[in-house]
Amino acid sequence: MDLKSGYPFWAVKNGLLKAFPQLTHDHQSDVVVIGGGITGALIADELSRHGHHVVVLERRDVGWGSSAASTALLQYEIDTHMTELAERYGEANAVLAYRACAEAIGELETLAAGLGDVDFARQQSLYYASNEEDVTPLKAELALRQKHGFAAAWLDRDTVLAEYGFAAPGAILTQLAASIDPYRMAYQLFAKVVERSGEVYDRTQMEAMVPDDHGVTLTLTNGVTLRCQHVVMAAGYESQAWLPEKVAVNRSSYALITDPLPAKALGKLRHTMVWESARPYLYMRTTCDGRLLVGGDDDDEDIPKRRDARVEEKAEGLARKVEALWPMLKINPTFSWGGTFAETDDGLPFFGPHSAHGPRVHFAMAYGGNGISYSMIGAKLLRALIEGREHPLAELFSFQRLAKIT
Ligand SMILES: Cc1cc2nc3c(=O)[nH]c(=O)nc-3n(C[C@H](O)[C@H](O)[C@H](O)COP(=O)(O)OP(=O)(O)OC[C@H]3O[C@@H](n4cnc5c(N)ncnc54)[C@H](O)[C@@H]3O)c2cc1C
C-alpha cells in the first residue's frame, strides 16, 4: 500500500533527518512497536520514558507513512460532534473523549517543548456553518461543550465577516487548538528513545507474529526473529490487514501549501485554523513561517496510482475554494499531495488488544481527523494496559465498541 502521493511538505522541508539501521540479528525486548510514524513515536517515547525497553520496527523510513502527509492540526474537536457521541455512547463518554483530546494538546505541547524545533504553535479554531441548516446543530454542539466547561463562543454572520473576512451564517470559535510538524516530531521522539537505550530500526518489516501465554514471537521478512512481552501495532492504516474484520474505511485526503504569505494578507488566519460543518470539510491553518496549509476534498479513492493522478486537480480545487471565501487571497499551491486516511464509523480510534491475537498484542489505530491527538491519548492508554493498570478510555476506545457499531 502506497500511503501518499505528490510532495508532502514535511518530507520536502526536512528531508531524511536520520537513517536508522536495519535489524539483522535475532533479538528480544520488553515491547516491540511496529510502525515508525507519529503514533509509534509517541508510544515508544511514553514507554521508554517509563523504563520499558522498546524496539521499534519500521518497514519504510521513519515518518515516511501517512505522518509525512498529515496537515497536523491538533484539535480537541472530534469529527463527530459531542452531541452525536452523546447520543451513541452517553454524555459522560462523549465528554470523556473530548476532554482527553483537549488534554492531549497540552501533553503534546509539553513534549514539543522538551524536543525543541518541531513547529508547535497554539492556535484558535474557527468551525463555521457551511449553510443555514447547520446553524442549529452547531449551536446545540456549542451549548453541550459549554455545559462541560470547554471555552468556546458563538460568532454570528456579521462577526465572522468583520473579524475573519468571509461569509458564513455563524461559527464556533474555540480557544484551544494547535499545530505541529508531525514528521520532525516523530524523528525527534525516536532520537530520545534511542538516547534512553531503546532501539529503532528502519527498512525492517514484521511479517508474522505468534503470541503465547508468556510473550510474542515476531518474524521479520529477512528471517530474523524477535521475542517480546508485548507488541504494539502502530502500523497506521496498514494495521487493518492484521484484523479479521473491517473496522474503518480507507479514503484519500488532499492538501496544498503556499509560499509564505504576508502577515497582513493572512490577517487572523495567522493564529486561527478554520474548518467547516460540511463533510468532507475544507480546512486550513498556517505554518510557523507564514505559509497557508489547506486540506480537504476527501474521496473514496483507495488506489494510489489514481490518487497520484488527482493531486494537481484536487489542489487547484482547494485553492479556488479558499479564494471563493477570501477573494483578495491569491493561492498558488507550492507543493501539493494526497494521502491515505482511514475513518471509523463513529470517528473514534481503536486502542488495545483484539481477540484474534490475544492480550499481548495491542493495536494503536489512531484513525480520523484527530489522529495525532488520539495517538497521544493512545500512548498513555497502552502504557496503562501494558503495566496492568486501568485507563478511563480503555473500554470506549477498545474493539468491544464494534458490537455497538455493527
Ligand atoms: C492528508 C492528511 C491530513 C491529515 N490531517 C490531520 C490533521 O490535521 N490532524 C491530525 O491529528 N491528523 C491528521 N491526519 C491523520 C494523521 O496523519 C494520522 O493519524 C497519523 O499520521 C497516523 O500516524 P501513524 O504513525 O499511525 O501512521 P503512519 O505514519 O502511516 O505510520 C505507520 C508506519 O507503520 C509502518 N508499517 C506498516 N506495516 C509495517 C510492518 N509490517 N512492519 C514494519 N513497519 C510497518 C509503515 O511503513 C508506516 O511508516 C491526516 C492524514 C492525512 C493523510
Side-chain angles (χ1 to χ4, degrees), residues 337-397:
W337 64 95
T340 301
F341 179 74
E343 276 178 356
T344 59
D345 179 68
D346 55 13
L348 297 181
F350 290 104
F351 289 109
H354 187 283
S355 55
H357 298 277
R360 291 179 180 272
V361 177
H362 308 266
F363 282 80
M365 302 169 96
Y367 295 173
N370 263 26
I372 299 171
S373 306
Y374 283 157
S375 299
M376 186 70 249
I377 299 169
K380 309 263 176 200
L381 193 161
L382 293 186
R383 179 166 76 87
L385 296 188
I386 286 169
E387 292 175 354
R389 291 182 291 108
E390 293 188 348
H391 187 282
L393 279 162
E395 192 181 334
L396 184 64
F397 287 179

Side-chain angles (χ1 to χ4, degrees), residues 3 34-40 57-61 64-67 69-74 204-206 234-238 242 253-255 283 337 339-341 364 366 368-373:
L3 294 167
I34 312 294
I38 188 67
T39 307
L57 309 180
E58 166 53 55
R59 78 182 186 93
R60 301 181 169 86
D61 283 288
W64 208 246
S66 61
S67 294
S70 182
T71 46
L73 282 70
L74 307 178
T204 302
Q205 181 169 348
M206 191 274 286
Y237 306 127
E238 290 163 299
W242 296 87
S253 189
Y254 302 86
Y283 64 94
W337 64 95
T340 301
F341 179 74
N370 263 26
I372 299 171
S373 306

Side-chain angles (χ1 to χ4, degrees), residues 6 11 39 85 97 116 138 141 172 233 247 262 275 296 306 319 345 355 370 388:
T39 307
L85 283 182
L138 253 59
E141 172 67 11
I172 298 175
M233 277 297 286
V247 301
W275 61 305
R306 286 205 221 140
D345 179 68
S355 55
N370 263 26

Side-chain angles (χ1 to χ4, degrees), residues 89 346 348-350 396-405:
Y89 302 118
D346 55 13
L348 297 181
F350 290 104
L396 184 64
F397 287 179
S398 76
F399 290 106
Q400 288 171 34
R401 201 173 84 240
L402 281 174
K404 292 181 191 161
I405 292 174

Side-chain angles (χ1 to χ4, degrees), residues 30-48:
D30 295 345
V31 184
V32 173
V33 175
I34 312 294
I38 188 67
T39 307
L42 288 165
I43 293 168
D45 174 74
E46 174 72 15
L47 290 170
S48 67

Side-chain angles (χ1 to χ4, degrees), residues 38-198:
I38 188 67
T39 307
L42 288 165
I43 293 168
D45 174 74
E46 174 72 15
L47 290 170
S48 67
R49 181 187 293 278
H50 290 89
H52 299 269
H53 181 254
V54 180
V55 167
V56 179
L57 309 180
E58 166 53 55
R59 78 182 186 93
R60 301 181 169 86
D61 283 288
V62 156
W64 208 246
S66 61
S67 294
S70 182
T71 46
L73 282 70
L74 307 178
Q75 293 174 282
Y76 76 78
E77 302 170 276
I78 296 171
D79 286 354
T80 310
H81 286 175
M82 191 191 276
T83 48
E84 193 187 327
L85 283 182
E87 271 172 35
R88 290 177 84 140
Y89 302 118
E91 199 165 311
N93 277 326
V95 174
L96 199 60
Y98 267 70
R99 210 163 264 152
C101 288
E103 283 164 12
I105 296 174
E107 287 159 2
L108 286 160
E109 182 171 31
T110 305
L111 278 185
L115 297 172
D117 179 22
V118 292
D119 281 9
F120 183 97
R122 283 263 181 177
Q123 305 225 351
Q124 296 190 331
S125 163
L126 188 73
Y127 182 35
Y128 70 88
S130 309
N131 50 55
E132 287 292 347
E133 293 77 66
D134 287 351
V135 166
T136 305
L138 253 59
K139 283 187 170 172
E141 172 67 11
L142 174 66
L144 188 60
R145 289 198 212 162
Q146 285 175 329
K147 177 181 163 193
H148 292 286
F150 290 87
W154 183 254
L155 305 190
D156 62 17
R157 179 186 287 278
D158 290 347
T159 314
V160 173
L161 189 60
E163 299 280 324
Y164 294 91
F166 72 99
I172 298 175
L173 179 65
T174 293
Q175 299 304 321
L176 179 61
S179 56
I180 204 160
D181 174 342
Y183 179 81
R184 203 173 178 87
M185 175 110 176
Y187 266 93
Q188 307 271 48
L189 287 168
F190 284 130
K192 290 279 178 203
V193 170
V194 171
E195 270 174 39
R196 295 184 203 113
S197 304

